Amino acid sequence: MQVKLALLLLLLSCLVCTGIGFAGVCPGTTLDNYLGSGFSCGITDQTYSNFVYSGSSNPPGYGIPAGSIVVTPITTAGNPGFQFSAGWFASTSSAVLEEDSLIQYTVNVNQGGSPITDLSLSMGGVAWTGTGSVTVDETACLGAMLPACSGGQVIKLSVFDSSSGTKLFDSATFAGVTEVDVDKDITVAAGTNGSASLSVVTNQYSEGAAPEPGSIVLFGSGVLGLAGVLRRKLSL
């Protein structure tokens, strides 16, 4: 029993030192539970952190609160991400002419994980009448942090639906990176005589080929070797 306990403690300490498994699984819950200093969570081999949210409206007082936005993790192998669901709505026949939500967060690939080579943005549950419009504009910094994105690369995505045109999906492909900082602006506007609504916005972060596994193999061999030594010593 003591041998098994010692081996378990050894393995756990090695995993902590390498940074593997340091974040809990991202929950399916409302966005307010993702906010707050120090929060991070994981989906497959990616860690999500630095969540920031603000909601506004015209006139003021009708912005969507973080507690009304449902976050659903997308666990598709090689293409994880988030689905954000809420009842964004604006209409000239109501008191709300515009609703705007700004969502920000950072995606990091865990040590040994596959680099991100593609990001996508899409929306669903979209409707408009007259001069109404729905727009989601996203700015992503590859390899650094917004707003400066110093040393990184800026990528811009946009989806929209109105009388001027429709684009429900957008994506960008790039050389593999291990960090993406995201700034997403969701806007539904009634215009001068119309309405607009939106229920779903989706982000996914596709992964390319995994990095050279040699270091992972060496790490595993080292752990097994140390475990063997410890077992022999404890059995003496």
Side-chain angles (χ1 to χ4, degrees):
M1 182 66 180
Q2 289 180 342
V3 173
K4 292 182 179 179
L5 179 58
L7 288 173
L8 179 60
L9 290 174
L10 174 63
L11 290 170
L12 288 175
S13 64
C14 290
L15 289 174
V16 169
C17 290
T18 58
I20 298 174
F22 58 86
V25 176
C26 291
T29 183
T30 50
L31 182 56
D32 55 320
N33 292 298
Y34 279 72
L35 305 178
S37 176
F39 175 86
S40 67
C41 64
I43 305 176
T44 63
D45 59 356
Q46 297 176 1
T47 294
Y48 298 76
S49 60
N50 302 323
F51 287 87
V52 177
Y53 175 76
S54 63
S56 60
S57 66
N58 177 25
Y62 296 92
I64 298 288
S68 295
I69 299 176
V70 175
V71 182
T72 303
I74 299 171
T75 58
T76 305
N79 195 23
F82 284 122
Q83 175 179 285
F84 300 94
S85 304
W88 290 281
F89 178 77
S91 171
T92 51
S93 63
S94 70
V96 185
L97 300 180
E98 181 174 298
E99 286 186 337
D100 187 272
S101 290
L102 183 65
I103 302 174
Q104 300 169 296
Y105 57 89
T106 304
V107 187
N108 289 103
V109 176
N110 298 344
Q111 183 176 349
S114 300
I116 299 170
T117 57
D118 175 275
L119 61 88
S120 65
L121 171 68
S122 62
M123 64 180 183
V126 186
W128 57 269
T129 63
T131 57
S133 64
V134 178
T135 305
V136 182
D137 290 323
E138 181 168 290
T139 300
C141 174
L142 311 180
M145 299 288 288
L146 295 167
C149 195
S150 179
Q153 177 187 357
V154 174
I155 297 289
K156 291 185 178 293
L157 301 178
S158 182
V159 291
F160 49 84
D161 196 10
S162 70
S163 61
S164 299
T166 299
K167 184 178 183 180
L168 302 181
F169 177 86
D170 197 8
S171 65
T173 302
F174 40 83
V177 297
T178 58
E179 180 181 47
V180 179
D181 200 39
V182 178
D183 188 336
K184 184 183 2 287
D185 189 3
I186 302 168
T187 304
V188 295
T192 56
N193 186 22
S195 66
S197 60
L198 171 67
S199 59
V200 175
V201 176
T202 302
N203 276 121
Q204 289 179 265
Y205 303 89
S206 299
E207 301 171 332
E212 174 59 43
S215 59
I216 301 174
V217 173
L218 289 174
F219 165 73
S221 300
V223 170
L224 292 176
L226 287 172
V229 171
L230 181 60
R231 183 184 297 111
R232 286 195 297 273
K233 286 185 177 182
L234 291 173
S235 63
L236 291 177

